[in-house]
Amino acid sequence: MECFDVVVIGAGPAGGQCARQLTQVGQRVLLIEQHETFSRNDFSSATTPLETLEKFNLPETVIGSYWQNLVIVTTNIHQKWESQKPLGAVFDFAKLREFLATQVKSQGGEVWMGCRYLRYIKNHQNTIVELKQRSTGEIIQVETQILVDATGPARAVMYNKKESQPNYLTGTGIEYLIELSETDYQQYSQDLIFFLGHRWMPRGYSWIFPMGNNRLKVGSAQLNCSHAWVNQTQTLRSYVELLLTEYLGGIPYKIINHHGGMLKYCSKLEDIYYKDNIIAIGDAVSMVNMLGGEGIRHGMQNANIACGYIQDYLAGKITDFAGYRQEIRQGYARTWNWSEQMGLSKYLKYSDQSIDKGVSYLKDLSLEDMMAILFDYDFKRLYKAGFKYLRYKIVSIWTRLKLKSNLT
Ligand SMILES: Cc1cc2nc3c(=O)[nH]c(=O)nc-3n(C[C@H](O)[C@H](O)[C@H](O)COP(=O)(O)OP(=O)(O)OC[C@H]3O[C@@H](n4cnc5c(N)ncnc54)[C@H](O)[C@@H]3O)c2cc1C
């Protein structure tokens, strides 16, 4: 039986980054992915701010396109913030994960694609991991000192199939990759466009992101909860098609593929972070932020933090991962909680009119403010727009009172 220091289950951004970091410092690592290729589950729209590329030392080859303008479209408002230089990128999600896996291999690790995790069996200090090679059906066992659950929303290691899981806040998203003529693509090639409001997507938001090579990602995501104002919503597909027919109306396009995925988020970060020598990272511990469903850079950062603890464990400096859990909860719980509250109100509680009004107040915020709100979750910046709203409220109350006193 082959023996490893660490077996990582799931080669998403978190698992790939974790295996990459650990092989870099010389650990014997096996990275397991159930799909044969990364294009098989190319589910993420994968946008990120520019700093992610430098922070994780990512090459140009994993980028589909850069973007430099932010656009928010509601039922009645179209608001754009423009920049002279790139502010972020849209990853080619398949290439990003392929790159991380290739780095793992070039640093001496092993990557087994098309291999499904089945279960673990405890054996004194070590753990036997049972895997199934999907193409042949062969059952393989390996031994490891540490087992990492990086299976995203499946949380396949922390919870066995029969075990019940907590009530998660869940969201579902689908996306079409479409190809346009070069001239038509140029109109959208620099813009990250978000669609809010009851017309475009009442229980979440829709988007159009540039993907390079004259391709756009056109998608829609919704929370699987009821809405305070809208009783019945359409299928996700019909909201994507609304963007194609009404927003991009009349532009000829070819659908290259469609894909989609799910997010499962545990409020208050109450996921299971570790059990003995098993540790969970990325979406398996709700590292996705619920304001906009952004999780790639957070999963990768979470993997970096976890790696420090994994190395300490292997070196015998710690005997459990309590410190890891504490560091993540201390570092993220407050921001994640605020983001969840903001997301839930915006997507499930606002009337269409309030969404229009809210976005019209954002007009006075700078691009820097908007980036800080959307990507650093710096909600204090909203006060600037809030003051204008307050002024509007005071003026309208005062006008009403004045009108009343004139009448009497
Ligand atoms: C529609 C949609 C759009 C999104 N858009 C963005 C965005 O624009 N920007 C952003 O930053 N984030 C976005 N996200 C979120 C982001 O994609 C996730 O947060 C991120 O992929 C989480 O990374 P992860 O490695 O934790 O998990 P995942 O990426 O889910 O990876 C888990 C891996 O584990 C594998 N796996 C699962 N079970 C097993 C098993 N039993 N055996 C072997 N392998 C297994 C899976 O096949 C998968 O490859 C989006 C998500 C969705 C659904």
Side-chain angles (χ1 to χ4, degrees):
M1 189 188 309
E2 282 197 71
C3 296
F4 295 90
D5 295 324
V6 184
V7 171
V8 181
I9 311 291
Q17 175 67 8
C18 177
R20 179 195 190 199
Q21 289 291 100
L22 291 170
T23 49
Q24 204 169 32
V25 293
Q27 306 291 0
R28 283 171 307 156
V29 177
L30 170 62
L31 176 62
I32 295 293
E33 171 55 46
Q34 63 184 347
H35 293 287
E36 296 283 351
T37 66
F38 288 107
S39 50
R40 288 297 292 274
N41 67 335
D42 199 6
F43 65 87
S44 183
S45 47
T47 193
T48 199
L50 210 55
E51 74 225 24
T52 310
L53 310 177
E54 203 180 299
K55 186 165 190 184
F56 300 104
N57 197 14
L58 297 171
E60 289 274 332
T61 50
V62 304
I63 293 159
S65 176
Y66 290 97
W67 50 267
Q68 61 187 48
N69 304 319
L70 272 177
V71 183
I72 300 184
V73 180
T74 67
T75 303
N76 297 297
I77 306 262
H78 184 280
Q79 191 59 52
K80 185 167 184 170
W81 292 264
E82 291 182 85
S83 157
Q84 297 307 314
K85 53 181 184 16
L87 298 174
V90 176
F91 286 121
D92 181 319
F93 192 55
K95 285 189 184 160
L96 169 68
R97 292 168 297 156
E98 180 85 58
F99 166 77
L100 297 174
T102 305
Q103 288 245 301
V104 172
K105 283 189 266 186
S106 70
Q107 291 169 171
E110 290 196 34
V111 181
W112 295 358
M113 300 294 292
C115 198
R116 196 171 165 75
Y117 162 86
L118 296 179
R119 63 182 183 132
Y120 65 84
I121 305 150
K122 284 290 195 184
N123 177 18
H124 307 296
Q125 287 298 306
N126 285 1
T127 298
I128 311 285
V129 185
E130 202 164 270
L131 308 163
K132 183 179 186 178
Q133 188 62 52
R134 291 176 80 183
S135 57
T136 59
E138 186 193 354
I139 303 289
I140 308 161
Q141 289 192 336
V142 295
E143 192 171 334
T144 186
Q145 293 188 56
I146 293 183
L147 178 59
V148 179
D149 186 347
T151 60
R155 293 164 170 87
V157 183
M158 279 304 173
Y159 295 91
N160 69 45
K161 269 188 195 149
K162 290 180 193 143
E163 215 171 331
S164 70
Q165 297 196 20
N167 275 335
Y168 299 115
L169 183 58
T170 67
T172 314
I174 61 162
E175 186 175 73
Y176 290 17
L177 182 65
I178 61 164
E179 194 167 289
L180 319 174
S181 74
E182 191 168 350
T183 327
D184 288 333
Y185 177 72
Q186 286 314 317
Q187 287 183 61
Y188 303 98
S189 63
Q190 311 292 324
D191 298 352
L192 201 66
I193 315 178
F194 295 99
F195 296 83
L196 300 172
H198 299 188
R199 177 179 178 204
W200 301 111
M201 168 36 80
R203 284 194 277 142
Y205 72 92
S206 295
W207 63 87
I208 297 180
F209 296 165
M211 189 44 190
N213 290 327
N214 303 330
R215 291 177 176 187
L216 295 176
K217 288 179 160 184
V218 182
S220 212
Q222 68 181 18
L223 289 171
N224 301 318
C225 310
S226 54
H227 194 286
W229 298 78
V230 184
N231 289 334
Q232 222 171 353
T233 53
Q234 311 297 317
T235 60
L236 268 177
R237 190 172 284 263
S238 62
Y239 289 106
V240 177
E241 281 165 8
L242 189 72
L243 293 180
L244 295 173
T245 52
E246 294 207 12
Y247 192 79
L248 299 175
I251 294 180
Y253 62 86
K254 185 169 90 186
I255 297 177
I256 305 297
N257 65 44
H258 15 82
H259 44 255
M262 199 171 191
L263 296 173
K264 283 187 182 175
Y265 172 86
C266 190
S267 280
K268 302 196 173 70
L269 294 181
E270 278 173 354
D271 284 294
I272 300 176
Y273 286 76
Y274 68 97
K275 277 181 189 167
D276 304 325
N277 60 339
I278 303 166
I279 176 169
I281 60 172
D283 274 13
V285 284
S286 305
M287 275 296 103
V288 61
N289 184 282
M290 287 314 274
L291 180 69
E294 200 208 332
I296 295 174
R297 67 189 162 121
H298 304 310
M300 291 176 76
Q301 176 59 21
N302 171 245
N304 283 359
I305 295 170
C307 283
Y309 289 89
I310 291 173
Q311 280 176 258
D312 284 352
Y313 188 98
L314 289 171
K317 292 183 190 164
I318 54 171
T319 53
D320 67 29
F321 293 107
Y324 162 65
R325 178 180 188 270
Q326 192 183 6
E327 181 173 343
I328 298 301
R329 286 171 57 88
Q330 269 176 3
Y332 289 82
R334 199 178 144 86
T335 311
W336 256 228
N337 197 24
W338 270 103
S339 304
E340 180 191 334
Q341 297 312 318
M342 292 284 291
L344 288 182
S345 329
K346 190 159 52 107
Y347 302 134
L348 300 175
K349 294 185 186 152
Y350 283 10
S351 69
D352 206 30
Q353 207 189 8
S354 314
I355 295 174
D356 276 349
K357 206 171 268 174
V359 173
S360 75
Y361 292 129
L362 295 179
K363 191 167 69 200
D364 290 345
L365 298 188
S366 65
L367 178 65
E368 194 208 336
D369 287 329
M370 287 304 293
M371 287 295 291
I373 293 165
L374 293 177
F375 294 103
D376 299 334
Y377 318 116
D378 180 0
F379 303 124
K380 287 193 297 296
R381 310 249 180 167
L382 284 169
Y383 290 143
K384 289 188 193 171
F387 281 135
K388 200 178 165 205
Y389 178 69
L390 213 62
R391 212 167 50 220
Y392 158 83
K393 277 281 185 203
I394 292 167
V395 170
S396 57
I397 291 168
W398 188 77
T399 316
R400 245 183 293 143
L401 287 176
K402 208 168 159 225
L403 207 69
K404 222 169 150 186
S405 66
N406 284 348
L407 288 176
T408 52

